[in-house]
Amino acid sequence: SAAASSSSSLGGFFPTKADDDDDDDDTNNNGAPSSSSDKARAVQQSFPMMMPKMHFAIDGVYEVRGVGLVVGGTLTRGKIAVNDAVLLGPDRAGGFVPVTIRSIECKRQAVKEVRPGTAATFAVRSLNRRAPLRRGYMRKGMVLLGEHDNPKATRAFEATVVILHHSTTVSEGYQPVCHLGVVRQACALLHISSGDSVLRTGGKATVTFRFMYHVEFVLPGVTFLFREGRAKGIGKVTKIRYDIK
């Protein structure tokens, strides 16, 4: 079959996180999810209406001769099986496109299904034959979501933050690079809604960040880092701001 031939063609052509760390703590020796699933359930209870049933964060994109486009990353929620229909996005306009999973590899072995906490790679193909996937469409930071998740990308989010180090002060208009999992983009600090109007090393506050270049898909409850030169801070997303464009 096409899926079987694609699986045999995928052997060992790209690196994955699993290759770098065969002793990944996210799964036990039987391949079952452990602590990562507990964390996912805790976040689901905090944000029950905003969490997708399936979430795969893409941190690598490859184009393989005879196979087509391949995406690599880590499954954080739900499960994905061969021939599943999923949504890929967001593009720079915030859209998602339906794709099918042609084959799956985990630790350079073809598998039929992956579960949360697993690093894997998928050969994907667009379900719209008139609009095939192209390498230029893909980028790190995109996600695969369930076909019924009804996803929506955002331009801004609120977060509680702590300044780990800054030589002077942080105020509104500050533009660090934010690292939210596989998402990496410069953000503008729009508003400091609690604490002082300026933040110094060790300062804590609730702030609003806006992505400067294009929308992203952000999960509530995610911990992130932000930096600018030697200045660094850490935060946790508390609210997705769909009202800010």
Side-chain angles (χ1 to χ4, degrees):
S1 65
S5 62
S6 297
S7 296
S8 61
S9 303
L10 288 172
F13 57 78
F14 46 76
T16 66
K17 287 184 177 179
D19 297 325
D20 295 333
D21 187 3
D22 289 338
D23 296 325
D24 194 343
D25 292 333
D26 286 336
T27 56
N28 59 28
N29 293 332
N30 296 322
S34 54
S35 60
S36 60
S37 295
D38 297 334
K39 294 178 181 178
R41 282 192 291 269
V43 174
Q44 176 72 60
Q45 293 173 358
S46 300
F47 306 95
M49 302 301 295
M50 303 179 67
M51 303 301 292
K53 292 184 178 180
M54 191 272 285
H55 179 269
F56 179 84
I58 296 173
D59 61 13
V61 181
Y62 316 90
E63 189 167 12
V64 182
R65 182 179 300 177
V67 177
L69 283 175
V70 175
V71 297
T74 303
L75 183 66
T76 59
R77 298 180 58 82
K79 63 181 180 179
I80 302 180
V82 174
N83 296 324
D84 277 358
V86 297
L87 297 176
L88 169 67
D91 57 24
R92 294 182 181 273
F96 289 79
V97 297
V99 300
T100 184
I101 305 298
R102 300 178 61 192
S103 57
I104 305 174
E105 281 199 0
C106 179
K107 296 186 178 181
R108 299 181 183 272
Q109 298 295 320
V111 296
K112 296 296 185 181
E113 181 183 273
V114 291
R115 292 182 177 274
T118 305
T121 45
F122 304 139
V124 297
R125 179 177 59 191
S126 174
L127 288 176
N128 185 353
R129 294 187 176 182
R130 295 184 178 181
L133 291 178
R134 300 188 182 278
R135 178 66 179 83
Y137 175 83
M138 312 289 287
R139 60 181 174 82
K140 292 181 180 181
M142 298 179 84
V143 296
L144 293 177
L145 302 172
E147 61 177 334
H148 301 300
D149 278 334
N150 192 26
K152 187 176 182 180
T154 185
R155 196 68 188 255
F157 60 92
E158 288 184 6
T160 56
V161 300
V162 178
I163 307 301
L164 300 178
H165 171 74
H166 199 284
S167 58
T168 56
T169 61
V170 172
S171 59
E172 295 177 1
Y174 179 59
Q175 296 180 355
V177 175
C178 290
H179 299 253
L180 300 94
V182 296
V183 173
R184 294 169 178 83
Q185 189 179 157
C187 295
L189 178 57
L190 297 184
H191 182 59
I192 301 176
S193 56
S194 66
D196 298 330
S197 58
V198 296
L199 300 175
R200 297 175 175 81
T201 299
K204 302 178 182 180
T206 299
V207 303
T208 302
F209 278 117
R210 178 183 183 274
F211 293 114
M212 294 183 63
Y213 300 109
H214 51 80
V215 295
E216 301 281 6
F217 183 82
V218 178
L219 290 176
V222 68
T223 300
F224 68 99
L225 299 173
F226 55 95
R227 61 178 179 82
E228 183 264 329
R230 294 186 177 181
K232 298 177 180 66
I234 189 170
K236 184 175 183 179
V237 177
T238 57
K239 183 178 181 181
I240 309 302
R241 294 291 303 272
Y242 297 113
D243 57 317
I244 298 177
K245 303 301 182 181

